[in-house]
Amino acid sequence: MSESKSRPPQDRPWESGWAPDTTRAPGTRRLWLAGTLALATITACVTAITVMDSESDEPESRAAEPTTLSSSAPGGLISFATPSKGGTDKPGGDRAEPSPTPSTSASSASPSPKPGKKAPKPPKTSAPPSKQPEPPSTQGISIRAVNFPDRYWRVRDGYVRLDRIGSGPEQREDATFQRVAGLADSSCYSFTTADGRYLRHRSFVLVANSNDGSSLFHKDATFCPRSRSASGTLALESVNYPGRFLRHRNFQLRLDPYEHSHQYYADTSFQIVSGLD
């Protein structure tokens, strides 16, 4: 085909017998451009990752180094303390030392008194307690009638009588008692025998019985002393029957109501003396 001849349109090669050039695949240039662009993109990504890794390694190495805590540290972050010279840290070493406790000794609290002058006495805040009354004696005692001074209380056959006491040890032991605090009222008296029985009134007659622990027994065995005009003379009034006093009648000890008579006054008056045993 001559050069002057016009080139037939390539989109209709069958009309002129012309065939397109098939030595190069269509779109090859575009593929090369796309590949080049992809390779550039990958290279840029690898470069960026490398740069970021190198930058991230530097803060980590710096963070591993111990630093001192300062006021410039951001709030909420804790930095490593500088190691001590001795190689080991003591717990609480970074805390401030507490101030010493002020001494409370007398020498530092108040000045010492001058020689030759006595320290003032503290004022009395309350009156001293009054002396407590002494409890009744628990030594052996015997009880003697005032109007029959040769007769004493004596336990015989379980009853308390007013008898003359001989020299025999049995009689003297039966006429010796222990005076203790009253079972029903500690300000009054109770009397016990050598074998541990108590003197009590039963049917208004004075007898010796073992303590059964009942309230009635405690009251029956408690007598309150009432002083008489004669020195060392007293009468014994019942706790549970006020107005009744121990008296001897026909030399039998019993509990009788008060009578305004010389005879009653004499029969109810007794003296407590040292034990006969």
Side-chain angles (χ1 to χ4, degrees):
M1 180 181 298
S2 61
E3 296 180 358
S4 60
K5 187 179 181 178
S6 62
R7 188 176 179 178
Q10 296 182 5
D11 56 345
R12 293 190 302 272
W14 56 87
E15 294 182 358
S16 58
W18 179 85
D21 186 7
T22 58
T23 58
R24 188 180 63 180
T28 303
R29 182 179 300 173
R30 296 178 181 176
L31 290 175
W32 277 103
L33 291 175
T36 303
L37 181 61
L39 182 61
T41 303
I42 293 172
T43 303
C45 291
V46 171
T47 303
I49 292 173
T50 304
V51 172
M52 291 176 65
D53 288 343
S54 61
E55 290 179 356
S56 62
D57 289 342
E58 183 177 357
E60 289 181 1
S61 60
R62 291 178 181 177
E65 296 178 0
T67 57
T68 57
L69 183 62
S70 63
S71 57
S72 61
L77 297 181
I78 300 176
S79 62
F80 295 96
T82 305
S84 60
K85 296 181 180 180
T88 58
D89 293 338
K90 295 183 180 179
D94 57 340
R95 300 178 183 176
E97 292 292 333
S99 59
T101 304
S103 174
T104 57
S105 61
S107 59
S108 60
S110 60
S112 58
K114 295 181 180 180
K117 292 185 179 180
K118 295 183 179 179
K121 295 183 179 179
K124 295 183 179 180
T125 56
S126 60
S130 59
K131 186 178 181 181
Q132 297 294 332
E134 296 182 359
S137 173
T138 56
Q139 296 179 354
I141 62 165
S142 293
I143 303 173
R144 180 174 61 190
V146 171
N147 52 351
F148 289 91
D150 60 340
R151 289 179 179 264
Y152 297 84
W153 289 14
R154 177 192 173 195
V155 177
R156 181 155 47 105
D157 299 328
Y159 292 91
V160 182
R161 298 183 57 85
L162 200 62
D163 285 353
R164 291 188 177 95
I165 306 301
S167 58
E170 246 182 63
Q171 292 185 14
R172 301 179 78 83
E173 183 177 333
D174 292 341
T176 303
F177 309 95
Q178 292 289 333
R179 179 179 59 180
V180 297
L183 295 178
D185 186 347
S186 60
S187 65
C188 301
Y189 298 157
S190 289
F191 303 95
T192 62
T193 62
D195 56 4
R197 292 179 295 172
Y198 283 82
L199 304 185
R200 66 172 292 192
H201 65 83
R202 188 174 61 188
S203 300
F204 303 117
V205 177
L206 194 62
V207 297
N209 282 163
S210 297
N211 184 4
D212 60 7
S214 66
S215 175
L216 178 61
F217 185 95
H218 290 179
K219 292 177 180 178
D220 288 349
T222 304
F223 305 94
C224 295
R226 305 294 182 235
S227 299
R228 292 290 171 82
S229 58
S231 177
T233 302
L234 53 81
L236 295 168
E237 184 179 13
S238 172
V239 165
N240 51 351
Y241 287 94
R244 284 181 176 262
F245 294 81
L246 288 175
R247 72 172 290 186
H248 63 85
R249 188 166 61 182
N250 297 327
F251 302 116
Q252 179 76 49
L253 270 296
R254 57 184 300 112
L255 201 63
D256 278 0
Y258 174 77
E259 295 177 8
H260 186 62
S261 67
H262 179 74
Q263 186 65 45
Y264 183 89
Y265 186 91
D267 290 345
T268 57
S269 297
F270 302 97
Q271 285 182 326
I272 296 179
V273 298
S274 299
L276 297 177
D277 62 349

